[in-house]
Amino acid sequence: MPTLTFPLSRIEGHAQVVIEVQAGEIISAHFTAMEFRGFEYFVQGVPAEQMPVIVPRICGVCSTAHHVAAVKTLEDIYGVTPPPLALKIRELLLLGQIIQNQATSLFIFTMPDRLGVASIFQPAGEAHPEQPQARIATRAILVRRAGTDLISVAGGQFIHPVKAVIGGVTGGIEPDAAAEMRAKLTQALPVACELFDEYWEMSLAMGERIGTWGDDAPACYIAAVADCRPNYYGDIIRVMCPDGTTRDSFPASDFRSYLTYRESNYSYAGQTSYGGEVIRANSLARINMARCMGTPRADEYLARFKSAFGQPAHAIMLFDLARGIELVYALERAMEILADPLGQEDTNVPYTPHDGEGHGLVEAPRGPLIHHYRVENGRIVQAEFVIPTVHNVLAIERALRVAAERYITAERVDMELEPAVGRVVRAFDPCIACATH
């Protein structure tokens, strides 16, 4: 029985796709995470109050989401409610992550698929400023840097932020720093819109060229944001049916009553399902649930998206367009927040540590991220990280099977299969560094 193995690039972490074929029939299509991290074991015995500075090391890309989720989990255990200004600064911190992540996924990871190249970056000495790739790369870096700078302003530093603490944040944002950051976002917004418009047109052209937008079978969707003016700080988890109706909503502490998690015998990443059904998280889930974005340019893109593709939309290449809408929204929303005073109020409240069990929820770029800790004698005795990527694994594998059935027959394997495999996986923007715990 032939086995086709496809190493993957332009994703976070290390993974491969393995497709088994017999007489032209697809026996299996597996998405395999090849690395094991083990942070759930590393943190056992750690003083609980150290978790917010330890867990960002799970992933340099998703460190912001883990930082905030850890703080929220300990606040759940200690019974702490942060002051309003702290929540606003935490929202800014998560908006910065949306900007840098969606810019990376759109313009660095998946734009090359639209251009038919391996990378938007070229070796030194070969690039010319007027070449299309060079112009895309320069603008993409500007937009992405706006996100990393925002994380630094709101979180103290970009990789492994430190500013969110139990009870709030360590301090506000001074007017001069807020004005400077707002100016950077103001500069980045039209550049992001210009790039996204180009990306949209390239996606339409690619769909015409290859004759498909990928797996478009209906699925359930899961997200932890409201249906208007999404706040990635997270409140409750919502599940949307394939027909667009909301079926369930539940707090992070009840996730086991609604989601089924199982380990895999071929991958270090597990899989979740909802009532035995395939679920999808990430950008398309949030945009499918969105009634409005609440900012001018993002609402224009949302209306255009729904007019063109319907609600809910199911084709997997639409994950990428949904990221563009969120990129624009995050820039606009962060500009709104930075226009408010951010340094005149209390930014934290006192707390008393004690033992217990708690959950923390944030809507990370890839979907709902849940931390669950049990604390005894001030130390972590159990930690569980429910990673957004695992919600998408079954959907990824279903989409891979659709691609394989399109390009494999009993007589031949179409050479378009390899780029198709990459497009499928990158549409879901998986983070393998996070998913193997």
Side-chain angles (χ1 to χ4, degrees):
M1 178 167 59
T3 299
L4 306 176
T5 301
F6 300 92
L8 297 168
S9 61
R10 285 184 272 131
I11 62 170
E12 307 291 354
H14 302 285
Q16 65 183 16
V17 168
V18 179
I19 299 173
E20 294 186 343
V21 185
Q22 188 166 29
E25 179 184 355
I26 310 304
I27 305 303
S28 63
H30 288 153
F31 175 65
T32 304
M34 302 178 295
E35 57 183 335
F36 179 70
R37 303 295 302 288
F39 263 83
E40 291 181 344
Y41 301 96
F42 295 160
V43 299
Q44 291 177 11
V46 164
E49 292 170 280
Q50 292 182 11
M51 290 293 279
V53 297
I54 292 175
V55 295
R57 273 72 183 170
I58 290 173
C59 177
V61 174
C62 307
S63 59
T64 298
H66 286 293
H67 178 55
V68 176
V71 170
K72 291 184 72 173
T73 306
L74 295 171
E75 288 174 344
D76 185 39
I77 295 172
Y78 301 158
V80 179
T81 300
L85 180 55
L87 297 180
K88 190 175 288 189
I89 292 173
R90 290 182 186 179
E91 182 182 356
L92 267 181
L93 183 56
L94 293 167
L95 288 168
Q97 180 171 2
I98 290 291
I99 294 167
Q100 70 88 15
N101 187 90
Q102 308 306 48
T104 302
S105 181
L106 279 172
F107 308 132
I108 298 176
F109 287 174
T110 64
M111 182 75 92
D113 294 325
R114 276 71 182 161
L115 293 167
V117 299
S119 174
I120 62 169
F121 302 108
Q122 296 171 288
E126 295 182 18
H128 189 278
E130 295 306 314
Q131 290 178 334
Q133 288 168 248
R135 291 192 65 251
I136 289 170
T138 301
R139 290 177 292 162
I141 290 171
L142 185 149
V143 176
R144 185 181 186 277
R145 183 174 294 149
T148 61
D149 288 349
L150 180 58
I151 293 172
S152 297
V153 167
Q157 58 189 37
F158 162 46
I159 298 180
H160 312 147
V162 295
K163 199 167 182 177
V165 293
I166 303 164
V169 294
T170 57
I173 301 174
E174 294 301 316
D176 288 349
E180 181 182 355
M181 187 64 243
R182 193 167 189 272
K184 292 180 181 179
L185 297 174
T186 302
Q187 179 191 13
L189 177 59
V191 178
C193 291
E194 181 183 59
L195 275 171
F196 183 36
D197 288 340
E198 294 175 19
Y199 187 97
W200 194 305
E201 292 305 314
M202 289 180 189
S203 295
L204 294 175
M206 185 181 72
E208 286 291 321
R209 179 180 67 80
I210 64 177
T212 180
W213 282 68
D215 177 20
D216 59 359
C220 292
Y221 294 89
I222 182 171
V225 294
D227 62 0
C228 191
R229 192 175 289 273
N231 186 340
Y232 301 93
Y233 193 66
D235 50 7
I236 62 171
I237 297 171
R238 297 170 177 83
V239 180
M240 172 185 273
C241 296
D243 64 1
T245 59
T246 300
R247 182 180 298 178
D248 276 312
S249 59
F250 53 92
S253 56
D254 290 347
F255 77 93
R256 288 196 178 279
S257 299
Y258 295 87
L259 302 179
T260 301
Y261 175 84
R262 68 180 181 88
E263 299 286 348
S264 168
N265 62 2
Y266 54 83
S267 172
Y268 284 118
Q271 306 167 346
T272 55
S273 59
Y274 170 76
E277 298 181 58
V278 170
I279 55 176
R280 291 172 170 178
N282 209 309
S283 57
L284 186 58
R286 295 185 291 264
I287 293 302
N288 274 334
M289 293 185 186
R291 182 170 47 86
C292 69
M293 300 304 288
T295 61
R297 297 297 297 272
D299 274 334
E300 291 175 7
Y301 283 118
L302 179 66
R304 178 183 173 189
F305 181 93
K306 292 186 182 301
S307 174
F309 305 109
Q311 184 183 17
H314 297 296
I316 62 166
M317 294 306 161
L318 297 177
F319 274 97
D320 298 312
L321 296 188
R323 285 187 193 97
I325 299 172
E326 291 192 310
L327 171 62
V328 173
Y329 166 75
L331 288 162
E332 291 184 300
R333 175 60 181 149
M335 290 163 59
E336 290 179 349
I337 295 174
L338 287 164
D340 296 334
L342 298 172
Q344 305 301 317
E345 305 171 22
D346 291 336
T347 56
N348 57 71
V349 297
Y351 66 94
T352 301
H354 56 76
D355 293 349
E357 186 172 359
H359 296 76
L361 169 69
V362 299
E363 181 71 14
R366 291 158 183 82
L369 168 67
I370 302 171
H371 281 209
H372 171 213
Y373 307 156
R374 188 159 55 87
V375 179
E376 293 179 4
N377 299 318
R379 296 180 177 272
I380 299 292
V381 296
Q382 180 185 7
E384 183 178 21
F385 307 118
V386 183
I387 303 299
T389 291
V390 305
H391 303 319
N392 276 328
V393 168
L394 291 177
I396 291 172
E397 294 190 336
R398 187 179 75 176
L400 287 169
R401 178 178 282 273
V402 169
E405 289 172 347
R406 181 180 181 87
Y407 294 113
I408 296 174
T409 66
E411 292 76 31
R412 64 193 290 267
V413 176
D414 192 310
M415 294 301 291
E416 183 64 27
L417 176 61
E418 183 171 9
V421 164
R423 288 193 300 266
V424 166
V425 175
R426 284 188 286 273
F428 291 90
D429 190 26
C431 184
I432 310 307
C434 288
T436 57
H437 299 292

